[in-house]
Amino acid sequence: MHTFIAVLTATLAAIAGGLAGASSAQASETDSTYAVSGCPARTTSPMLSRFGDPNEYFPVLNGGFNRWGAGWNGMFSLALENEPWHVNREALTGSLRLWPGDSARTAELCVGEGEDSFRFFYKGTGQLGSRLLVRTTVRSNTGTYTYGTTVDTSRTGWQLSPVVSVPNHATTKVQQISIAFVNATPFDSVRTVLVDDVLIDPWRSRSG
């Protein structure tokens, strides 16, 4: 198993290196950089415009899964398959693979009070009863709160998720969130769910 991980990591590194120049060349003039007070600066772009969503987005740390395990915790593996629209130009090499019962959670991410939603891509199994649990944990100066959203993954192929809300609980205008994905399909299934390009929608999309 360790040998497999090492080989897979090396393969991904080589692919990522080959794509680095192309990713830079593809930078769009619509990209912009901004920072919420109290959070790091991030680069945003209207990544989902072709899906009728004009808002700007920025990816969570390693939200395109181009680096093995970086920024994620849990029991999961990586697939050498990307969502087919390649909306995240910096991550064109892989996706998260979840067997039934597997889960993966992001590191905590600093967000402003108006950065109130996220979306992602997922590949369904084609099996009735297949589902993905999306668990959002919000930590603010008023406490820690957890929310769950269930996504039907029984349809075959890659799809864009619905908008998942991030409630604001901070009185300081900044809070920490983490996002977890759990394959909640019954354990008798032998099919996996893939997740790719986890994207945060910043308040800037609506404030101009």
Side-chain angles (χ1 to χ4, degrees):
M1 180 63 180
H2 291 294
T3 301
F4 169 76
I5 292 175
V7 171
L8 181 56
T9 302
T11 301
L12 289 175
I15 296 173
L19 289 171
S23 296
S24 298
Q26 293 171 358
S28 169
E29 62 182 12
T30 60
D31 286 358
S32 58
T33 301
Y34 83 104
V36 173
S37 179
C39 293
R42 50 288 285 270
T43 299
T44 68
S45 62
M47 297 179 179
L48 303 179
S49 58
R50 75 188 76 178
F51 300 93
D53 182 347
N55 290 348
E56 294 188 2
Y57 287 86
F58 64 90
V60 304
L61 176 63
N62 198 23
F65 305 97
N66 59 315
R67 290 176 289 155
W68 174 264
W72 293 80
N73 296 292
M75 178 180 293
F76 59 89
S77 55
L78 201 66
L80 289 174
E81 179 178 352
N82 201 83
E83 51 84 4
W85 300 280
H86 304 119
V87 301
N88 184 354
R89 298 182 304 274
E90 302 303 321
L92 305 177
T93 57
S95 57
L96 176 69
R97 183 191 298 275
L98 297 171
W99 293 90
D102 280 2
S103 64
R105 178 174 55 84
T106 67
E108 281 196 328
L109 173 70
C110 178
V111 297
E113 63 178 340
E115 297 179 331
D116 57 1
S117 63
F118 63 91
R119 303 184 79 175
F120 58 92
F121 289 88
Y122 66 94
K123 186 177 183 180
T125 65
Q127 179 179 15
L128 187 65
S130 177
R131 55 189 182 271
L132 180 70
L133 173 62
V134 185
R135 185 178 296 125
T136 307
T137 300
V138 180
R139 183 172 62 85
S140 74
N141 64 313
T142 65
T144 300
Y145 311 83
T146 300
Y147 300 87
T149 300
T150 300
V151 177
D152 180 0
T153 54
S154 60
R155 181 180 170 187
T156 303
W158 282 100
Q159 298 155 73
L160 176 62
S161 78
V163 174
V164 182
S165 296
V166 178
N168 178 64
H169 290 283
T171 61
T172 57
K173 300 185 181 299
V174 172
Q175 57 189 9
Q176 305 292 321
I177 69 167
S178 63
I179 302 167
F181 296 95
V182 182
N183 186 343
T185 303
F187 279 97
D188 58 355
S189 171
V190 294
R191 303 184 186 184
T192 60
V193 175
L194 304 186
V195 175
D196 197 14
D197 290 344
V198 185
L199 310 172
I200 301 289
D201 177 9
W203 63 270
R204 188 176 183 279
S205 297
R206 289 172 294 279
S207 64

